[in-house]
Amino acid sequence: MPRSARTQPLRFSTQTLLLQLGVVLLVVLLSAAVHAWLTYDRVGREAENQALTLARAVAADPAVQANVLAISEGVGTPPPAVLRAGPLMAAAEAVRTRTGALFVVITDETGLRLAHPDPDRLGEKVSTDPSEALAGQEVTTRNTGTLGPSAGAKVPVYAPGPGTGTSAGTVVGEVSVGYSMESVGQSVARDVGPVGLTAAGALLAGVLASFLLRRRLQRLTLGLEPEEISTLVHDQVAVLQGVDDGVIGVSADGRISVFNAAAQRLLEQPDLSGTPWADAPVPGQLKALTRPDAVEADAIELVAGGSVLVASARKALHRSEDLGWVVMLRDRTELQHLTRQLDAVGTMSTALRAQRHEFANQLHTIAGLMSIGQHQQARDYLAGLAATGPLKFPVDQAELLQDPYLQAFVGAKGVEADERGVTLRIGPETLVRGQVIEPQDVTTVLGNLIDNAVNAAVAGSSPDRWVELEVLDEPHDDGGTLHIVVADSGDGLAPGTDPEVVFAEGFTTAGGPGMAAPAAAGGRTSGGQGLGLALARKLARRRGGDVRLLEPGTPGGPGAVFMASLPRTTAGTTAGTTDLAGKDNNA
């Protein structure tokens, strides 16, 4: 069957509309039917009560009682001609004509008709059972007789005399009165008319409400079908919980609609779904991205939860409908660590290639001296190499850093500083006997402080450019504390600068005279300045330590002095291990 000829299923909103219309119609019809039935039953009971009252009145008429008694005491039943001209017929027809009843029938004690609207029926047995009335009981009935369906009553006729009544005397006949059900139906029709109009109005209101509900449903579901909504929910859960990027959804009314697990982890916050975005405990830089007058801009960097994050925001639109904002968070901390480590490895590789070249030159020199017979000069040259070492380590007194990780990292920084004309030296108070157990945090804090100091030394006015580093390991049972002090030859902070301002996110003094080192993580010149010191302090404080400014420095040098304390970052070593490390460093 061609695709175009296939029957397309009804949309969910259309199905809902049809279902609502069907329910409204069913409710209205059932309500109208129940009301009509109740009205019919009420009018029927009224007709029965009216017939019972009329039958009682006829049966209590003394003339009727006397005539019925006279016929009952006589021999046989008078012929129809006599009954037609008799007083009972006249009395019954007079009552029927006056009250509008369908029939007024009088019988004797055997149920033979003594009065009937149809004279041809006189003297015949009544068509409905008269036994209950002849037994002295008053009954109401709804049945179909010779004159059609009716609602009526049967009342016994007692013989007249002293003491006669409904509780005494002899039953000599009965009176049957009925009202046509057609007149009952006409009464019901008159009562049901307003009901029908009310039902029609209710049906119209239900149809209108159904259409309005359909339109609202389409707006709320953005015109999507239930299957599409279910698929979107599954996809949303899979995507939001399966990615490492933080996702924050801000609805058009200013509330957080999505706050996935990655966002909770990066911002160190619980699930903030449902919280007003303006009151959410998130960095102000994120809120600035979603200002009403904001446009899509480049990603920004910020420090949150001890991590460097890259944040971006985009407007969410669906068929030109504004759905709010989507804020994306990406963690650059691990990338920074890897970049710093790769830079260190690359720098050390370059240094080793240069030293290998130097070592090759030294071997050629020795070979040349030996070939020309200058054996004494060769021995003196070898003695000099033995005293200074065949390879020159880029940082003097590096043996004070007995941790190989610190030696390699500081050595790499020394090579970088030397390339920029800055001498990186280790102060005499340095002593590290433990081994670093948290290299990432130590690298981040130490690397930022050294990079800032090198930048300050390069930008300073002093011709003697240097950076001095002192590191002291303070052992503890739960892990040693690493104390780091970094000084430089730069021009220090500008006079009057608040010492706490340098740790604020976004603060940088790059390129300005008389300033401190720029707070750029990893020495970046753009896009990332103003995060290094803030990140270093957050990492240190998260471990229970701190990073603070000891000296602001003076113009012309020396420059600013920073100190960092990093608890639980080192572990103590045995004496044997320490001795081996010392031997290795002296080799």
Side-chain angles (χ1 to χ4, degrees):
M1 185 176 182
R3 181 181 297 272
S4 59
R6 294 176 183 175
T7 302
Q8 296 294 331
L10 294 177
R11 296 181 61 83
F12 175 71
S13 57
T14 303
Q15 296 178 9
T16 304
L17 174 63
L18 296 178
L19 178 61
Q20 290 171 341
L21 292 179
V23 171
V24 170
L25 180 61
L26 179 61
V27 170
V28 170
L29 291 179
L30 287 177
S31 300
V34 170
H35 188 83
W37 169 253
L38 294 176
T39 303
Y40 177 82
D41 186 65
R42 176 180 58 80
V43 174
R45 286 197 305 270
E46 290 177 355
E48 291 174 356
N49 293 333
Q50 187 176 358
L52 180 60
T53 301
L54 183 58
R56 285 174 178 172
V58 174
D61 187 352
V64 172
Q65 292 176 348
N67 291 324
V68 173
L69 177 60
I71 295 175
S72 297
E73 290 178 345
V75 178
T77 301
V82 175
L83 294 175
R84 184 183 301 115
L88 291 177
M89 185 67 176
E93 284 300 300
V95 171
R96 185 183 68 82
T97 303
R98 185 173 66 252
T99 59
L102 177 62
F103 60 84
V104 176
V105 177
I106 302 174
T107 70
D108 60 9
E109 78 282 3
T110 62
L112 297 178
R113 297 187 183 98
L114 304 180
H116 192 276
D118 186 359
D120 295 336
R121 302 290 184 178
L122 293 175
E124 297 178 357
K125 188 78 172 182
V126 292
S127 59
T128 57
D129 184 16
S131 59
E132 293 184 35
L134 295 177
Q137 299 179 4
E138 296 180 347
V139 295
T140 57
T141 62
R142 291 187 193 181
N143 48 40
T144 301
T146 57
L147 299 178
S150 63
K154 296 180 182 295
V155 174
V157 177
Y158 293 93
T164 62
T166 59
S167 61
T170 303
V171 176
V172 296
E174 60 97 11
V175 176
S176 179
V177 177
Y179 285 89
S180 174
M181 292 302 293
E182 294 180 357
S183 61
V184 173
Q186 294 173 356
S187 299
V188 172
R190 288 194 300 271
D191 291 345
V192 170
V195 176
L197 293 177
T198 303
L203 180 60
L204 181 60
V207 170
L208 180 60
S210 298
F211 273 103
L212 294 178
L213 183 60
R214 176 175 181 265
R215 293 188 59 185
R216 176 169 175 78
L217 183 62
Q218 286 182 323
R219 287 197 303 270
L220 292 178
T221 61
L222 303 178
L224 299 176
E225 294 299 301
E227 296 81 3
E228 297 174 322
I229 296 176
S230 177
T231 302
L232 285 177
V233 171
H234 285 87
D235 292 345
Q236 181 191 37
V237 173
V239 171
L240 293 182
Q241 304 304 327
V243 298
D244 292 333
D245 294 345
V247 180
I248 304 175
V250 182
S251 61
D253 61 356
R255 289 188 174 272
I256 298 177
S257 57
V258 176
F259 203 84
N260 72 340
Q264 300 174 35
R265 173 176 54 82
L266 294 175
L267 297 178
E268 295 184 349
Q269 295 290 341
D271 189 1
L272 300 178
S273 298
T275 304
W277 177 239
D279 301 332
V282 298
Q285 297 96 314
L286 295 181
K287 298 178 182 179
L289 291 174
T290 61
R291 294 191 311 269
D293 57 342
V295 296
E296 293 184 7
D298 295 336
I300 64 169
E301 290 186 354
L302 69 152
V303 177
S307 302
V308 177
L309 305 181
V310 177
S312 60
R314 291 184 179 275
K315 199 71 174 175
L317 300 174
H318 179 77
R319 297 175 182 174
S320 72
E321 181 179 357
D322 184 6
L323 302 181
W325 289 88
V326 176
V327 181
M328 300 294 297
L329 302 174
R330 299 175 180 87
D331 190 359
R332 287 192 67 253
T333 307
E334 296 297 331
L335 181 60
Q336 281 194 339
H337 290 326
L338 293 176
T339 302
R340 189 178 299 279
Q341 292 175 3
L342 290 175
D343 290 343
V345 171
T347 303
M348 291 301 295
S349 298
T350 302
L352 289 176
R353 283 195 299 269
Q355 291 172 355
R356 184 187 64 179
H357 181 70
E358 179 183 356
F359 183 69
N361 292 335
Q362 292 171 353
L363 289 179
H364 287 307
T365 302
I366 296 173
L369 292 174
M370 295 295 292
S371 63
I372 62 176
Q374 301 294 327
H375 301 290
Q376 184 61 41
Q377 292 184 8
R379 282 194 293 269
D380 293 341
Y381 186 72
L382 286 174
L385 291 179
T388 60
L391 300 178
K392 181 181 179 182
F393 199 78
V395 179
D396 293 335
Q397 296 184 328
E399 66 274 4
L400 298 177
L401 303 173
Q402 297 187 9
D403 179 73
Y405 183 86
L406 280 180
Q407 285 187 1
F409 183 75
V410 174
K413 287 298 178 183
V415 174
E416 289 182 355
D418 186 65
E419 291 177 351
R420 302 181 64 184
V422 179
T423 301
L424 176 60
R425 65 196 186 197
I426 296 180
E429 301 298 326
T430 296
L431 181 60
V432 178
R433 292 182 176 273
Q435 291 185 347
V436 174
I437 58 176
E438 295 291 342
Q440 290 188 346
D441 288 354
V442 172
T443 298
T444 300
V445 176
L446 180 59
N448 274 297
L449 294 180
I450 293 178
D451 289 343
N452 292 342
V454 170
N455 291 334
V458 171
S461 57
S462 174
D464 183 16
R465 297 175 178 176
W466 53 264
V467 172
E468 184 170 291
L469 168 67
E470 289 189 348
V471 185
L472 180 62
D473 177 24
E474 181 183 359
H476 291 285
D477 294 338
D478 58 346
T481 299
L482 206 62
H483 299 282
I484 303 171
V485 178
V486 179
D488 59 69
S489 61
D491 293 334
L493 294 176
T497 301
D498 186 355
E500 292 299 316
V501 173
V502 299
F503 296 100
E505 294 181 24
F507 177 84
T508 178
T509 57
M515 300 294 182
R524 294 180 60 182
T525 58
S526 64
Q529 293 183 350
L531 299 177
L533 289 177
L535 175 61
R537 169 172 274 190
K538 285 192 175 183
L539 287 176
R541 289 184 172 179
R542 189 172 61 181
R543 305 191 63 86
D546 198 3
V547 177
R548 61 182 183 273
L549 177 67
L550 294 183
E551 295 290 340
T554 57
V561 180
F562 287 87
M563 177 179 179
S565 298
L566 300 176
R568 300 183 304 280
T569 53
T570 62
T573 60
T574 62
T577 304
T578 302
D579 293 341
L580 290 175
K583 292 178 181 179
D584 292 337
N585 288 330
N586 293 328

